[in-house]
Amino acid sequence: AVVSTQSTGGLVALLIRKFVATIVVTLIYLALCLALHVWAMKLRWGKDKDFYIWNAGKDGYLILYVCQRAGSVLYYFFYKRTTLRLGDPNYYKDSAWLREHVN
């Protein structure tokens, strides 16, 4: 049987509780990506086509680049783990386990 609409709100809360680490890692990774790409565009904007970003003398950019690349490992790990965990049939059928966790 399919989960009823009355428990849908509880199911969403359960999913958020179960996957809060993935949500946090995703938001941090998004912030790192945005910061890196905005900084790269600011460094390159208005420069000639031969401009090499690593010669700009920006040590902070290198640190942000390394943090973003290291964060990508965590992001992809949590992404894959969450994908596998969402395949659990307990989330898709009415069961004692789901009723216990939702209510």
Side-chain angles (χ1 to χ4, degrees):
V2 178
V3 177
S4 70
T5 56
Q6 292 176 342
S7 65
T8 305
L11 181 59
V12 170
L14 172 67
L15 291 173
I16 290 172
R17 276 195 318 270
K18 290 280 188 183
F19 301 109
V20 70
T22 302
I23 294 167
V24 169
V25 168
T26 300
L27 292 175
I28 291 171
Y29 181 66
L30 176 66
L32 286 171
C33 288
L34 286 173
L36 181 71
H37 294 306
V38 166
W39 198 345
M41 291 305 297
K42 287 180 90 172
L43 288 173
R44 291 182 178 144
W45 198 266
K47 305 288 194 283
D48 61 353
K49 66 178 181 174
D50 295 330
F51 177 74
Y52 188 59
I53 197 167
W54 300 109
N55 290 337
K58 303 288 185 187
D59 292 333
Y61 182 77
L62 178 62
I63 293 169
L64 182 59
Y65 179 83
V66 169
C67 289
Q68 189 265 346
R69 295 298 176 180
S72 70
V73 174
L74 282 175
Y75 169 74
Y76 287 111
F77 169 76
F78 278 93
Y79 171 76
K80 293 292 186 181
R81 185 182 77 158
T82 299
T83 303
L84 291 172
R85 288 174 64 192
L86 281 174
D88 186 359
N90 286 327
Y91 294 119
Y92 301 102
K93 63 181 180 180
D94 195 11
S95 66
W97 177 86
L98 187 60
R99 290 182 188 275
E100 176 185 322
H101 284 85
V102 170
N103 294 328

